[in-house]
Amino acid sequence: MAAKNEETRKGPWMEQEDLQLVRFVRLFGERRWDYLAKVSGLNRSGKSCRLRWVNYLHPGLRHGRMTPEEEHLVLELHAKWGNRWSRIAQCLPGRTDNEIKNYWRTRMRKKAQERRMSTSASPSPSSSSSNISSSANEPPPDLVMKKRDGMESVAVGSSLTLGFGTNEGVMAYSMDQIWDEIAATDRVSGLSTEEHKHGARSVASPLWEHCSASPWKVDDEEFEMPTPADGLVISSL
DNA sequence: AAAAATCTCAACCGCCGGGAT
DNA sequence: AATCCCGGCGGTTGAGATTTT
């Protein structure tokens, strides 16, 4: 048996690949990733395609820093469900499990650092009960955001950029560019960029229809949307 | 201004469960 | 009923960006 035609590509996605993926997701919907990966001509695994779509290209995504409300919600939900990132993500429209996971990880690291500092500063014997390892799944009382507070978050439609290397050098492109490209190449079909952004979801995916009322639908029967009655106090939500 | 340290986030991996055959 | 395949999830890694010294 000859090896696969070419080995599957890995690493950062190129703009062309994104365009291709978006186009084929519009055609086939958000499913059958393996098939989609094959017919699209992308030298990527189905998994890789799905991940790229779900975590980056999906029209409903919000990128950039979490709002304080979102941060609060993550804390509350993590207290309730632990590391069930996908489930938590379903309560934060536009956020992916990956993003939340990353956020939590960063936060825990910060927390651990602070704790290390404080324990080394004040050698309190009782502090051993809440050490770093146990804190990973244990929601700390409050949120500490010290650094980078001044940094503005960037939205998908505006200025989020990616950098990647090519033979010709480093390129960067934004989501707007991707959608513009699609609009340009498909202009004959009469769809505007905006229609693409929204059309991508409505045309392609039955899944999306499913989610249109609640885009981040949860099908787990145990699931309950947290309410203040559940002990969640989410101010200004 | 440069180097070092830290942070962020995209992407991969392995495992698991569900559906199809 | 058993097996296979695919998609989804959580954990982890590494490159690039940003901040601090």
Side-chain angles (χ1 to χ4, degrees):
Chain A
M1 254 234 275
K4 295 175 208 169
N5 351 355
E6 287 158 48
E7 53 192 89
T8 318
R9 254 184 63 75
K10 287 183 185 179
W13 282 64
M14 316 273 266
E15 181 178 11
Q16 272 313 311
E17 292 179 300
D18 279 345
L19 289 168
Q20 190 82 343
L21 180 57
V22 168
R23 200 163 288 137
F24 274 82
V25 170
R26 284 178 54 215
L27 278 174
F28 295 106
E30 300 167 53
R31 60 212 149 85
R32 308 230 19 218
W33 292 107
D34 228 48
Y35 174 72
L36 196 145
K38 272 175 203 149
V39 298
S40 65
L42 289 164
N43 240 342
R44 298 273 184 175
S45 70
K47 270 188 171 186
S48 183
C49 292
R50 177 186 161 271
L51 214 61
R52 182 63 178 171
W53 175 258
V54 167
N55 285 336
Y56 190 83
L57 294 171
H58 197 291
L61 291 180
R62 305 166 63 186
H63 290 271
R65 290 187 65 80
M66 299 230 195
T67 65
E69 287 79 17
E70 286 174 321
E71 288 171 350
H72 196 161
L73 190 52
V74 169
L75 292 190
E76 299 285 357
L77 295 177
H78 188 272
K80 198 173 178 184
W81 295 326
N83 298 2
R84 305 286 298 276
W85 306 118
S86 64
R87 178 181 279 196
I88 293 172
Q90 282 158 348
C91 295
L92 284 110
R95 299 295 184 181
T96 68
D97 53 353
N98 213 24
E99 228 178 334
I100 295 170
K101 206 178 359 178
N102 282 333
Y103 162 71
W104 186 262
R105 201 178 129 79
T106 304
R107 197 173 155 282
M108 289 323 296
R109 209 187 291 162
K110 239 183 252 175
K111 211 69 192 170
Q113 233 170 25
E114 280 169 19
R115 228 168 266 200
R116 223 176 293 144
M117 301 256 263
S118 66
T119 48
S120 65
S122 61
S124 124
S126 60
S127 66
S128 58
S129 63
S130 57
N131 58 17
I132 296 158
S133 56
S134 70
S135 69
N137 279 320
E138 165 196 319
D142 56 6
L143 182 64
V144 181
M145 292 298 279
K146 284 183 176 173
K147 295 180 178 178
R148 300 193 177 198
D149 273 353
M151 257 180 72
E152 275 302 315
S153 60
V154 286
V156 161
S158 53
S159 57
L160 182 74
T161 57
L162 274 185
F164 56 84
T166 67
N167 291 339
E168 286 106 20
V170 175
M171 296 172 60
Y173 62 95
S174 69
M175 285 297 295
D176 263 0
Q177 284 175 272
I178 292 174
W179 288 110
D180 286 347
E181 286 254 8
I182 292 167
T185 53
D186 283 359
R187 199 152 284 146
V188 279
S189 71
L191 282 175
S192 70
T193 305
E194 278 307 304
E195 283 169 325
H196 269 293
K197 287 176 182 172
H198 300 102
R201 57 172 85 152
S202 57
V203 172
S205 172
L207 268 181
W208 186 266
E209 277 182 35
H210 214 87
C211 295
S212 60
S214 168
W216 312 92
K217 176 181 171 295
V218 175
D219 52 14
D220 193 325
E221 54 184 29
E222 299 171 42
F223 174 81
E224 301 166 46
M225 186 64 180
T227 64
D230 271 320
L232 291 181
V233 184
I234 301 159
S235 57
S236 70
L237 264 188

